[in-house]
Amino acid sequence: MSKVYRQFLPWLRLLTRRRRALMLGALLAGITFLSGVALLGLSGWFITASALTGIALALGLSVSLDVYVPGGGIRFFALSRTVSRYVERVYNHNSVLALLAELRFHVFGQLTRLDDLTLGRQRASDWLTRLTTDIDTLDNFYLRVLIPPLVALLGSAVIVAFIAIWLPGVALFLTVVLSLLWLVTTLGLAAWGWRQSYRHVANQEVLRHLVVDQVQGSAELTSYRSHHWHRRIVDSHEHKALHNQRLVGSRLALGNALVAAVTSLVALAVLWVAGEIFVQGLVAGPIVVMAVLMALGVNEAFSVLPNAFVRLGASFAAAERLNKLAQADAASMAAPAGSTLSDRGVSFEQVSLRYPDALDLALDDVTFHLPAGKRAVITGMSGAGKSTLASLLMGRLAATRGAVHVLGKVPTELSMTYRAEHMAMLTQQVDLFDDSLAENLRIADPSATDERLWQVLGDVALADWVQQLPKALDTPVGEKGQQLSGGQARRVALARLMLRDPDVVILDEPFASVDEVTARYVATSLDRWLAGRTVIYFVHQIDQPDLLPRIDYHWHLDAGKLSAMPIDGS
Amino acid sequence: MERAITEPMASTSEQNGLTPRRWLQSLASLERKRLRGAAFLGSLAGFQTVFIVTGLAWLIDQLVVHDRAPRDLSLVFILLAVAVVVRALCQWASERLSLDASLRIRRYARSQLLDKVTALGPVWLTTQQSGAIAAQAVEHIDALDGYFARFHPQMRITVWVPLVILAVVVSLDYLAAIFLLLAAPLIPLFMALVGMGAERMNRDQFAAVARLSAHFIDRVRGITTLQLFGHTVAAQEAVWQAADHYRRLSMRTLKLAFLSSAVLEFFSSVAIAVVAMYVGFGLLGYIEYGPAPSLTLFSGLAVLLLAPEFFQPLRTLSMHYHDRAAALGAAESIVNTLNQPPVMRTASPPATQDPEALVELEGVEVSYAARGVVLGSLDLILRHGDVVAVSGESGSGKSTLLALLAGFVGASQGECRHAATNQVAWLDQQPCLLQGSLADNLRLADPEATHEAMQSALTRAGLNEVLNALPQGLDTLLGERGVGLSGGQAQRLALARVYLSSAPLVLLDEPTARLDSATEKAVVEALLDWAREGRTLVVATHHPAVIAAASRHLRVVNGQLQEVLA
């Protein structure tokens, strides 16, 4: 129980931070509920009072009934129910959307503090789907799990207190039954459906993985004729998953039936007890009818509870997973203290790195020294350890063994701002954002003037092309930069890099998919910009040595091992 | 295999005739009995509500007006209590039936989709994102739940229950019935209104949510770049801004959209108020025309309690309306896949004419809808034991030739004949790693393989040390939730698969590309090993050692085959 509370706590805090909004939202929902109950109860009272007065009048008794106050009340409640329902829906949806913004802000903040180990471990698209689903689950939490039980509890309390004015015994009975019903439909159903709804989330994920396997392994499965074998695995998992859903669904059905049965039986019971009291002449007829109809109206507040609570385990699973991000975030902040060097170049001293759960070392006893202001090229196939090496250099990963120094310091100990200021890297996969060209460039330097942007675009031979675009610098580049060709995207990324003034520069395949003539032009301006900086190029192999001028060192990486190579050409 | 062999085919929903609506209908007809049962039981529960409510009104009348004690009426109390329990049972059974129907339908729909994906084969799948297919098979299929479990049965309930209520009210007081009847022609109007409102709201909301999610995902995907440029704080701010902008925009739509349901709410409230006033004044004797003078507390209360029930089914339906929109949206994406024209070789191929031959291609052409003829016309005979190296520029058609031999694409022209033992082993640059144990990853090549056979295959592929290092041996989980293999180890695992399989024909697409030197050597040795075993090999490669070891060398130039003679 305390574990459950701990996992939910950070989110509950976030959700209830705007306490006034929550209270007002619940109040509006409560007014809607109570207006409905009051409308029914008052109508019942009025009809009964009218009937009794009518009979008395028919018998020639002189009685009178004020029809204006109850009539006005009925009209008022009919209107207030409609209006408050509308206002409540608008207000609460606004709150939920505001929360969504805050949830995303919060989660994104955690993500920005993650290191490459955690980021790299996630299968990109898969993880993103899960992340957004989890956030959505939590933002549903507000409207489904927080407000309705509050309304059911407080609303019922008001109704019971009102009935207690005339029928204290009936009110006591209602208190006991409704409290029990509330506990059963909230905590009871949550506990009953917990395991299954919790498991549901994991089940969906396994199913997704199995389908991804079927797609990615399609060539093997088709050629080896083992499709049926894999399908049987999918089917047996699906069978289990659907059985699990059936359990959750049937518990929900039972919960719904319970609410419907109990609220109606309660109304019958109230009629019986109040009827006995009426027979004794201790209460007026219209009050009896009002109490019965009000008890009947309680159903509206309770009927929404089972669906929210039987699935509480799933919300818990979502909160738990998002919390794991926060933990990884905290873990990646901690780094051991290391020595500093006077040299401001790059040095690796017997560095090894093993990814968690990997059998082999990704980097195996790597030692090299690149003095400040010199240039090196490191060649190697993909998977040889180049990106691992780059991550270590940029302080985005910590070495398992050995010492890494950049600018004389241990990179993992440098603050992110310092690293961003003094070190720059062109990643192998170019990240452009779904924004304008100018916005994408200004990520590197938010204060850059248009002239400056044109200048760097000129350096990468894109200025002419951008000039003839109708929106020029404001041209949107599309999601993942899809509006640009691969070569153009890479040059935009290079231009972005050149807006900065770092001491250490890492260039991962700087000319991939750039045609030869352009590459030569870009290499010249790149060379100019690189003057005086410490540079490491990462390439598969050196196809054109003239694109990488002034190389001082050449190392080769093969299966995590680094070896020195002769420098060809000049 | 080279990526992007075919461009995605144009949307073909019209060509094939399967539309989202028709598909949903055909799914519903599979579970017609359960869905009808659910609607029937749901309606039955509605009728019981009518009975309970009128019973309650009668009891109140007896108690309050006729001064009878509850004890004298215990039989009626019990009868009503039984009715309440029976109604709850009906509701429960209705929900269970529609739940079962929905589960069965989703199971069927998923298997239909996965069958189609299997049938479309690897070549088509290279043009797709595995995440998108997974979303179709998991999230989109599950989005059908609300439609079948809630909306579909509720549609029928909404027809029958108000009719019965109206009939009962007519028998109690026709003037009150006229109030409801006046509202009745408005019901279809409001249904349309709710429908239109909900439909527009859903469409707009889906689009806006998708845009917002895309923005968020876009920033998360590029988080490394944002970190490298120290731009994270500004980006975080932008995430909030985007979400807040979305809030302001969607509140405008929501304010309008909620109006349609507010109208329904209003009608149900006003019905209670009007009926209450009419009945009250009637009972007081203020109304002297029509049936008003004969109103009793019983008939008055019954009419009052029935009035909101008259609108209730419609309110429930409007609550479930978004289930329908969600299902239609999901169905659209799934139907698009279901409508794809076949890519794979369909029927089993004819047998070879020459007993020595493993595969005979005669005048074969392969063409893709978007690109026309990409390979051919080819004439080629592969004999048992041939070791064929295939070289050529990327995009020349090498991969298509391998795909043709494997049966991943069918010939658009000519004839492809295969020997009876038509099993193929496949190995490409990126061996697939299934989420499962090491043994599962080997069973992919031979589901019936014994542990001994697996161990021997791993040893021959040079993975013996790895196997010994694994905590649970063959049962160790690989991948995300288990042990991670390096690229070289994964390729050796693919070699072990070929060793494990007895397929006489081994197709290899650039098996040595992007490998470290040790693994590269292991692959070349394995190739020679299989050649010695007498297997037929077709290798798309540029590797000089492989080309030298081959007994035949083919070059593909612009989709044409040239035999290079040594």
Short mmCIF file of all heavy atoms in Angstrom, two decimals, chain A residues 437-487:
data_model
loop_
_atom_site.label_atom_id
_atom_site.label_comp_id
_atom_site.label_asym_id
_atom_site.label_seq_id
_atom_site.Cartn_x
_atom_site.Cartn_y
_atom_site.Cartn_z
N LEU A 437 13.55 26.67 -40.99
CA LEU A 437 14.99 26.53 -41.16
C LEU A 437 15.72 27.42 -40.15
O LEU A 437 16.67 26.99 -39.49
CB LEU A 437 15.34 26.96 -42.60
CG LEU A 437 16.71 26.61 -43.13
CD1 LEU A 437 16.95 25.12 -43.06
CD2 LEU A 437 16.83 27.09 -44.57
N ALA A 438 15.26 28.66 -40.03
CA ALA A 438 15.92 29.60 -39.11
C ALA A 438 15.86 29.09 -37.67
O ALA A 438 16.85 29.11 -36.95
CB ALA A 438 15.26 30.97 -39.22
N GLU A 439 14.67 28.58 -37.27
CA GLU A 439 14.53 28.07 -35.91
C GLU A 439 15.51 26.92 -35.66
O GLU A 439 16.09 26.80 -34.59
CB GLU A 439 13.10 27.60 -35.65
CG GLU A 439 12.09 28.71 -35.50
CD GLU A 439 12.43 29.64 -34.35
OE1 GLU A 439 12.82 29.13 -33.28
OE2 GLU A 439 12.33 30.87 -34.54
N ASN A 440 15.65 26.07 -36.67
CA ASN A 440 16.56 24.94 -36.53
C ASN A 440 18.00 25.39 -36.38
O ASN A 440 18.77 24.80 -35.64
CB ASN A 440 16.42 24.00 -37.73
CG ASN A 440 15.40 22.91 -37.48
OD1 ASN A 440 15.64 22.03 -36.66
ND2 ASN A 440 14.26 23.00 -38.13
N LEU A 441 18.36 26.45 -37.09
CA LEU A 441 19.73 26.95 -36.97
C LEU A 441 19.92 27.63 -35.62
O LEU A 441 20.96 27.50 -34.99
CB LEU A 441 20.02 27.93 -38.10
CG LEU A 441 20.16 27.30 -39.50
CD1 LEU A 441 20.24 28.38 -40.56
CD2 LEU A 441 21.39 26.41 -39.57
N ARG A 442 18.91 28.35 -35.19
CA ARG A 442 19.06 29.14 -33.96
C ARG A 442 19.10 28.28 -32.69
O ARG A 442 19.32 28.80 -31.60
CB ARG A 442 17.95 30.18 -33.85
CG ARG A 442 18.15 31.34 -34.81
CD ARG A 442 17.41 32.60 -34.39
NE ARG A 442 17.80 33.68 -35.28
CZ ARG A 442 17.04 34.12 -36.29
NH1 ARG A 442 15.86 33.58 -36.51
NH2 ARG A 442 17.47 35.10 -37.07
N ILE A 443 18.89 26.96 -32.84
CA ILE A 443 19.10 26.08 -31.69
C ILE A 443 20.54 26.24 -31.22
O ILE A 443 20.84 26.20 -30.02
CB ILE A 443 18.82 24.61 -32.08
CG1 ILE A 443 17.31 24.41 -32.21
CG2 ILE A 443 19.39 23.64 -31.07
CD1 ILE A 443 16.92 23.08 -32.76
N ALA A 444 21.45 26.45 -32.17
CA ALA A 444 22.86 26.59 -31.83
C ALA A 444 23.14 27.96 -31.24
O ALA A 444 24.02 28.11 -30.39
CB ALA A 444 23.71 26.36 -33.06
N ASP A 445 22.42 28.96 -31.69
CA ASP A 445 22.69 30.32 -31.21
C ASP A 445 21.41 31.14 -31.32
O ASP A 445 21.14 31.75 -32.36
CB ASP A 445 23.81 30.94 -32.06
CG ASP A 445 24.12 32.36 -31.59
OD1 ASP A 445 23.53 32.79 -30.58
OD2 ASP A 445 24.93 33.01 -32.25
N PRO A 446 20.62 31.17 -30.25
CA PRO A 446 19.31 31.85 -30.31
C PRO A 446 19.42 33.32 -30.69
O PRO A 446 18.45 33.90 -31.18
CB PRO A 446 18.76 31.69 -28.89
CG PRO A 446 19.51 30.54 -28.32
CD PRO A 446 20.85 30.55 -28.95
N SER A 447 20.60 33.94 -30.48
CA SER A 447 20.70 35.37 -30.73
C SER A 447 21.27 35.68 -32.12
O SER A 447 21.52 36.84 -32.44
CB SER A 447 21.56 36.02 -29.66
OG SER A 447 22.86 35.46 -29.73
N ALA A 448 21.49 34.63 -32.94
CA ALA A 448 22.11 34.85 -34.24
C ALA A 448 21.24 35.74 -35.13
O ALA A 448 20.02 35.56 -35.19
CB ALA A 448 22.38 33.52 -34.93
N THR A 449 21.85 36.70 -35.81
CA THR A 449 21.10 37.56 -36.73
C THR A 449 20.86 36.82 -38.04
O THR A 449 21.51 35.81 -38.32
CB THR A 449 21.90 38.83 -37.04
OG1 THR A 449 23.14 38.40 -37.61
CG2 THR A 449 22.17 39.64 -35.79
N ASP A 450 19.96 37.35 -38.85
CA ASP A 450 19.70 36.74 -40.15
C ASP A 450 20.97 36.73 -41.01
O ASP A 450 21.23 35.76 -41.73
CB ASP A 450 18.58 37.49 -40.88
CG ASP A 450 17.20 37.05 -40.39
OD1 ASP A 450 17.17 36.22 -39.45
OD2 ASP A 450 16.19 37.52 -40.93
N GLU A 451 21.73 37.82 -40.91
CA GLU A 451 22.96 37.90 -41.71
C GLU A 451 23.89 36.73 -41.37
O GLU A 451 24.47 36.10 -42.24
CB GLU A 451 23.73 39.22 -41.45
CG GLU A 451 23.08 40.46 -42.03
CD GLU A 451 21.85 40.88 -41.25
OE1 GLU A 451 21.94 40.96 -40.00
OE2 GLU A 451 20.79 41.10 -41.87
N ARG A 452 23.98 36.47 -40.06
CA ARG A 452 24.85 35.39 -39.60
C ARG A 452 24.34 34.05 -40.16
O ARG A 452 25.13 33.22 -40.60
CB ARG A 452 24.84 35.39 -38.07
CG ARG A 452 25.73 34.37 -37.42
CD ARG A 452 27.16 34.85 -37.25
NE ARG A 452 27.97 33.80 -36.63
CZ ARG A 452 28.71 32.94 -37.31
NH1 ARG A 452 28.78 33.03 -38.62
NH2 ARG A 452 29.40 32.01 -36.69
N LEU A 453 23.04 33.87 -40.15
CA LEU A 453 22.47 32.62 -40.67
C LEU A 453 22.80 32.47 -42.16
O LEU A 453 23.19 31.41 -42.63
CB LEU A 453 20.96 32.58 -40.46
CG LEU A 453 20.46 32.63 -39.02
CD1 LEU A 453 18.95 32.40 -38.98
CD2 LEU A 453 21.16 31.59 -38.15
N TRP A 454 22.64 33.57 -42.90
CA TRP A 454 22.95 33.52 -44.34
C TRP A 454 24.41 33.18 -44.55
O TRP A 454 24.76 32.43 -45.46
CB TRP A 454 22.62 34.86 -45.01
CG TRP A 454 21.15 35.03 -45.25
CD1 TRP A 454 20.33 35.94 -44.67
CD2 TRP A 454 20.33 34.25 -46.14
NE1 TRP A 454 19.05 35.79 -45.13
CE2 TRP A 454 19.02 34.76 -46.04
CE3 TRP A 454 20.58 33.18 -47.00
CZ2 TRP A 454 17.96 34.25 -46.76
CZ3 TRP A 454 19.52 32.66 -47.72
CH2 TRP A 454 18.22 33.19 -47.61
N GLN A 455 25.25 33.72 -43.66
CA GLN A 455 26.69 33.49 -43.79
C GLN A 455 27.02 32.00 -43.64
O GLN A 455 27.72 31.43 -44.47
CB GLN A 455 27.39 34.32 -42.71
CG GLN A 455 28.89 34.36 -42.84
CD GLN A 455 29.50 35.03 -41.61
OE1 GLN A 455 28.82 35.76 -40.88
NE2 GLN A 455 30.77 34.79 -41.38
N VAL A 456 26.48 31.37 -42.58
CA VAL A 456 26.81 29.94 -42.40
C VAL A 456 26.15 29.09 -43.49
O VAL A 456 26.71 28.08 -43.92
CB VAL A 456 26.43 29.41 -41.00
CG1 VAL A 456 27.37 29.93 -39.95
CG2 VAL A 456 24.99 29.69 -40.65
N LEU A 457 24.99 29.51 -43.95
CA LEU A 457 24.36 28.76 -45.05
C LEU A 457 25.23 28.86 -46.29
O LEU A 457 25.35 27.91 -47.07
CB LEU A 457 22.95 29.29 -45.33
CG LEU A 457 21.88 28.86 -44.33
CD1 LEU A 457 20.56 29.56 -44.61
CD2 LEU A 457 21.68 27.35 -44.35
N GLY A 458 25.85 30.02 -46.49
CA GLY A 458 26.78 30.19 -47.59
C GLY A 458 27.98 29.25 -47.45
O GLY A 458 28.43 28.65 -48.43
N ASP A 459 28.44 29.09 -46.21
CA ASP A 459 29.58 28.22 -45.97
C ASP A 459 29.30 26.77 -46.36
O ASP A 459 30.21 26.03 -46.69
CB ASP A 459 29.97 28.25 -44.48
CG ASP A 459 30.69 29.54 -44.12
OD1 ASP A 459 31.13 30.24 -45.06
OD2 ASP A 459 30.80 29.87 -42.93
N VAL A 460 28.04 26.36 -46.27
CA VAL A 460 27.72 24.97 -46.62
C VAL A 460 27.04 24.90 -47.99
O VAL A 460 26.41 23.91 -48.34
CB VAL A 460 26.84 24.29 -45.56
CG1 VAL A 460 27.59 24.16 -44.25
CG2 VAL A 460 25.54 25.04 -45.37
N ALA A 461 27.17 25.98 -48.77
CA ALA A 461 26.66 26.02 -50.14
C ALA A 461 25.15 25.81 -50.20
O ALA A 461 24.65 25.11 -51.09
CB ALA A 461 27.38 24.98 -51.01
N LEU A 462 24.44 26.38 -49.23
CA LEU A 462 22.97 26.25 -49.26
C LEU A 462 22.31 27.61 -49.48
O LEU A 462 21.11 27.68 -49.73
CB LEU A 462 22.46 25.66 -47.94
CG LEU A 462 22.47 24.15 -47.81
CD1 LEU A 462 21.98 23.74 -46.42
CD2 LEU A 462 21.62 23.47 -48.88
N ALA A 463 23.10 28.70 -49.40
CA ALA A 463 22.50 30.03 -49.44
C ALA A 463 21.69 30.25 -50.72
O ALA A 463 20.55 30.74 -50.68
CB ALA A 463 23.58 31.09 -49.29
N ASP A 464 22.26 29.86 -51.86
CA ASP A 464 21.56 30.08 -53.14
C ASP A 464 20.23 29.33 -53.17
O ASP A 464 19.21 29.85 -53.61
CB ASP A 464 22.44 29.60 -54.30
CG ASP A 464 23.64 30.51 -54.47
OD1 ASP A 464 23.60 31.63 -53.90
OD2 ASP A 464 24.61 30.09 -55.12
N TRP A 465 20.30 28.10 -52.71
CA TRP A 465 19.09 27.27 -52.73
C TRP A 465 18.01 27.86 -51.81
O TRP A 465 16.85 27.94 -52.17
CB TRP A 465 19.46 25.84 -52.32
CG TRP A 465 18.28 24.93 -52.20
CD1 TRP A 465 17.53 24.43 -53.21
CD2 TRP A 465 17.70 24.44 -50.99
NE1 TRP A 465 16.53 23.65 -52.73
CE2 TRP A 465 16.60 23.64 -51.36
CE3 TRP A 465 17.98 24.59 -49.63
CZ2 TRP A 465 15.81 22.99 -50.44
CZ3 TRP A 465 17.19 23.94 -48.71
CH2 TRP A 465 16.12 23.15 -49.11
N VAL A 466 18.43 28.29 -50.62
CA VAL A 466 17.46 28.84 -49.66
C VAL A 466 16.87 30.15 -50.20
O VAL A 466 15.68 30.41 -50.05
CB VAL A 466 18.11 29.05 -48.28
CG1 VAL A 466 17.12 29.73 -47.32
CG2 VAL A 466 18.57 27.73 -47.69
N GLN A 467 17.74 30.94 -50.87
CA GLN A 467 17.29 32.24 -51.39
C GLN A 467 16.13 32.09 -52.37
O GLN A 467 15.21 32.90 -52.38
CB GLN A 467 18.45 32.91 -52.11
CG GLN A 467 18.46 34.41 -51.98
CD GLN A 467 19.78 34.90 -51.42
OE1 GLN A 467 20.84 34.38 -51.79
NE2 GLN A 467 19.74 35.84 -50.51
N GLN A 468 16.16 31.01 -53.17
CA GLN A 468 15.11 30.89 -54.18
C GLN A 468 13.85 30.20 -53.62
O GLN A 468 12.87 30.03 -54.32
CB GLN A 468 15.64 30.20 -55.45
CG GLN A 468 16.36 28.88 -55.27
CD GLN A 468 15.42 27.70 -55.32
OE1 GLN A 468 14.44 27.72 -56.05
NE2 GLN A 468 15.70 26.68 -54.53
N LEU A 469 13.90 29.77 -52.34
CA LEU A 469 12.68 29.22 -51.73
C LEU A 469 11.73 30.38 -51.41
O LEU A 469 12.18 31.44 -50.97
CB LEU A 469 13.02 28.47 -50.43
CG LEU A 469 13.82 27.18 -50.58
CD1 LEU A 469 14.22 26.66 -49.20
CD2 LEU A 469 13.03 26.13 -51.32
N PRO A 470 10.44 30.21 -51.63
CA PRO A 470 9.51 31.32 -51.41
C PRO A 470 9.56 31.87 -49.99
O PRO A 470 9.44 33.07 -49.78
CB PRO A 470 8.14 30.71 -51.72
CG PRO A 470 8.35 29.27 -51.97
CD PRO A 470 9.79 29.02 -52.18
N LYS A 471 9.76 31.00 -49.00
CA LYS A 471 9.77 31.49 -47.63
C LYS A 471 11.18 31.66 -47.08
O LYS A 471 11.37 31.95 -45.89
CB LYS A 471 8.99 30.55 -46.72
CG LYS A 471 7.49 30.59 -46.94
CD LYS A 471 6.85 29.72 -45.90
CE LYS A 471 5.35 29.76 -45.95
NZ LYS A 471 4.80 28.78 -45.01
N ALA A 472 12.18 31.41 -47.91
CA ALA A 472 13.58 31.57 -47.54
C ALA A 472 13.90 30.96 -46.17
O ALA A 472 13.68 29.76 -45.98
CB ALA A 472 13.98 33.05 -47.58
N LEU A 473 14.33 31.77 -45.23
CA LEU A 473 14.74 31.24 -43.93
C LEU A 473 13.56 30.67 -43.14
O LEU A 473 13.75 29.88 -42.22
CB LEU A 473 15.42 32.34 -43.09
CG LEU A 473 16.86 32.68 -43.48
CD1 LEU A 473 17.33 33.89 -42.69
CD2 LEU A 473 17.78 31.51 -43.23
N ASP A 474 12.36 31.10 -43.49
CA ASP A 474 11.19 30.62 -42.74
C ASP A 474 10.61 29.33 -43.31
O ASP A 474 9.54 28.89 -42.89
CB ASP A 474 10.11 31.71 -42.71
CG ASP A 474 10.58 32.91 -41.92
OD1 ASP A 474 11.33 32.69 -40.95
OD2 ASP A 474 10.23 34.05 -42.29
N THR A 475 11.30 28.73 -44.27
CA THR A 475 10.82 27.48 -44.85
C THR A 475 10.76 26.39 -43.79
O THR A 475 11.75 26.18 -43.09
CB THR A 475 11.78 27.02 -45.96
OG1 THR A 475 11.97 28.10 -46.86
CG2 THR A 475 11.25 25.81 -46.68
N PRO A 476 9.61 25.74 -43.65
CA PRO A 476 9.57 24.63 -42.69
C PRO A 476 10.35 23.43 -43.22
O PRO A 476 10.30 23.15 -44.42
CB PRO A 476 8.08 24.30 -42.58
CG PRO A 476 7.42 24.94 -43.73
CD PRO A 476 8.33 25.96 -44.31
N VAL A 477 11.08 22.75 -42.34
CA VAL A 477 11.88 21.62 -42.81
C VAL A 477 11.15 20.30 -42.67
O VAL A 477 11.61 19.28 -43.15
CB VAL A 477 13.23 21.53 -42.07
CG1 VAL A 477 14.01 22.82 -42.24
CG2 VAL A 477 13.04 21.20 -40.61
N GLY A 478 9.98 20.32 -42.00
CA GLY A 478 9.20 19.09 -41.89
C GLY A 478 9.70 18.21 -40.77
O GLY A 478 10.79 18.40 -40.24
N GLU A 479 8.86 17.23 -40.42
CA GLU A 479 9.21 16.31 -39.35
C GLU A 479 10.48 15.57 -39.72
O GLU A 479 10.62 15.08 -40.85
CB GLU A 479 8.06 15.33 -39.15
CG GLU A 479 8.12 14.58 -37.86
CD GLU A 479 7.02 13.53 -37.82
OE1 GLU A 479 5.97 13.78 -38.43
OE2 GLU A 479 7.23 12.50 -37.21
N LYS A 480 11.43 15.47 -38.80
CA LYS A 480 12.72 14.85 -39.03
C LYS A 480 13.41 15.44 -40.26
O LYS A 480 14.22 14.79 -40.91
CB LYS A 480 12.58 13.33 -39.24
CG LYS A 480 12.18 12.59 -37.97
CD LYS A 480 12.36 11.10 -38.14
CE LYS A 480 11.02 10.42 -38.35
NZ LYS A 480 11.17 8.99 -38.66
N GLY A 481 13.08 16.67 -40.62
CA GLY A 481 13.73 17.30 -41.76
C GLY A 481 13.40 16.66 -43.09
O GLY A 481 14.18 16.70 -44.03
N GLN A 482 12.17 16.07 -43.17
CA GLN A 482 11.82 15.30 -44.36
C GLN A 482 11.73 16.15 -45.64
O GLN A 482 11.80 15.62 -46.74
CB GLN A 482 10.49 14.58 -44.16
CG GLN A 482 10.65 13.28 -43.41
CD GLN A 482 9.35 12.84 -42.78
OE1 GLN A 482 8.39 13.61 -42.74
NE2 GLN A 482 9.31 11.63 -42.29
N GLN A 483 11.55 17.46 -45.46
CA GLN A 483 11.42 18.30 -46.65
C GLN A 483 12.78 18.50 -47.33
O GLN A 483 12.85 19.01 -48.44
CB GLN A 483 10.82 19.66 -46.29
CG GLN A 483 9.44 19.58 -45.67
CD GLN A 483 8.45 18.88 -46.56
OE1 GLN A 483 8.42 19.09 -47.76
NE2 GLN A 483 7.65 18.00 -45.99
N LEU A 484 13.86 18.11 -46.64
CA LEU A 484 15.18 18.27 -47.22
C LEU A 484 15.71 16.91 -47.65
O LEU A 484 15.31 15.88 -47.12
CB LEU A 484 16.14 18.86 -46.17
CG LEU A 484 15.70 20.14 -45.47
CD1 LEU A 484 16.76 20.57 -44.47
CD2 LEU A 484 15.44 21.24 -46.47
N SER A 485 16.64 16.93 -48.61
CA SER A 485 17.30 15.67 -48.97
C SER A 485 18.31 15.35 -47.87
O SER A 485 18.65 16.20 -47.05
CB SER A 485 18.00 15.82 -50.31
OG SER A 485 19.19 16.57 -50.13
N GLY A 486 18.80 14.11 -47.88
CA GLY A 486 19.76 13.70 -46.86
C GLY A 486 20.98 14.61 -46.83
O GLY A 486 21.44 15.03 -45.76
N GLY A 487 21.48 14.93 -48.01
CA GLY A 487 22.67 15.77 -48.10
C GLY A 487 22.40 17.18 -47.60
O GLY A 487 23.21 17.78 -46.89
#
